[in-house]
Amino acid sequence: MIHLIYISSATSWPSEQDLTELLEQARARNIRQNITGMLLYGNATYMQVLKGEEKDVHEIYSAIKIDPRNNGVVTLVEEEIAERDFPGWSMGFRNLTACSPEELPGFSDIFHRGFDKEAVIKNDGVAKKLLMNFATNV
Ligand SMILES: Cc1cc2nc3c(=O)[nH]c(=O)nc-3n(C[C@H](O)[C@H](O)[C@H](O)COP(=O)(O)O)c2cc1C
């Protein structure tokens, strides 16, 4: 089993409805392919962790990379894991648009101008920490 974390840019500002549709589609396929994880959205930026068998994770990641709803996909972490940290979640979700810096102590450098893709890419390790933070705070 592996987990893979990536960050990408939304190609247009998604509405609540766009996000809901994306999640419904993602969850339906994730259930079929036994994928779990967490998706964060904010400031036209997506960050996601996908967990599952290597083959399934790679298949879904290939679909995401060519999905016209996002571009500029950057892999941040890919490693083997012993067990899932998000059991039972076909895909958790947090919209960070209305998140205040006080809600995210320790992450001010990646949130001071809204969720900042370049700051996440530069700050090695912060992606995993942020996703874990939301895994335990929903
Ligand atoms: C930011 C983002 C995250 C996505 N996450 C997932 C996901 O977790 N699982 C998934 O199956 N598809 C996800 N998708 C959708 C895929 O790109 C693709 O549309 C979908 O897997 C096609 O599945 P279908 O053939 O069953 O319709 C995501 C797309 C975007 C833009």
Side-chain angles (χ1 to χ4, degrees):
M1 185 139 36
I2 64 161
H3 70 187
L4 186 150
I5 303 175
Y6 72 86
I7 194 161
S8 71
S9 304
T11 43
S12 62
W13 294 89
S15 63
E16 286 287 334
Q17 165 128 18
D18 294 333
L19 293 169
T20 302
E21 281 172 14
L22 192 158
L23 271 173
E24 277 172 6
Q25 183 190 24
R27 285 174 176 153
R29 184 168 174 188
N30 290 352
I31 288 167
R32 292 201 301 274
Q33 296 198 226
N34 207 12
I35 295 287
T36 58
M38 177 87 199
L39 174 67
L40 303 179
Y41 169 78
N43 194 27
T45 299
Y46 293 107
M47 190 165 89
Q48 186 175 32
V49 57
L50 299 165
K51 292 175 192 273
E53 293 304 327
E54 186 170 1
K55 178 177 159 288
D56 296 309
V57 169
H58 284 165
E59 248 175 60
I60 289 183
Y61 191 42
S62 298
I64 293 170
K65 282 195 278 192
I66 56 164
D67 191 313
R69 288 170 289 190
N70 72 0
N71 63 20
V73 181
V74 177
T75 307
L76 299 171
V77 175
E78 180 176 348
E79 59 196 9
E80 277 190 36
I81 50 167
E83 57 185 58
R84 295 175 194 265
D85 325 286
F86 308 96
W89 293 21
S90 56
M91 190 47 62
F93 178 71
R94 272 294 295 256
N95 188 332
L96 304 175
T97 306
C99 246
S100 64
E102 296 78 56
E103 279 181 79
L104 300 162
F107 296 105
S108 56
D109 50 337
I110 58 163
F111 277 101
H112 66 286
R113 282 177 285 118
F115 191 32
D116 184 338
K117 184 183 178 191
E118 295 311 317
V120 173
I121 292 169
K122 279 195 206 115
N123 189 336
D124 197 31
V126 78
K128 203 148 102 179
K129 262 198 278 179
L130 182 64
L131 285 157
M132 289 312 298
N133 183 71
F134 284 112
T136 53
N137 281 302
V138 284

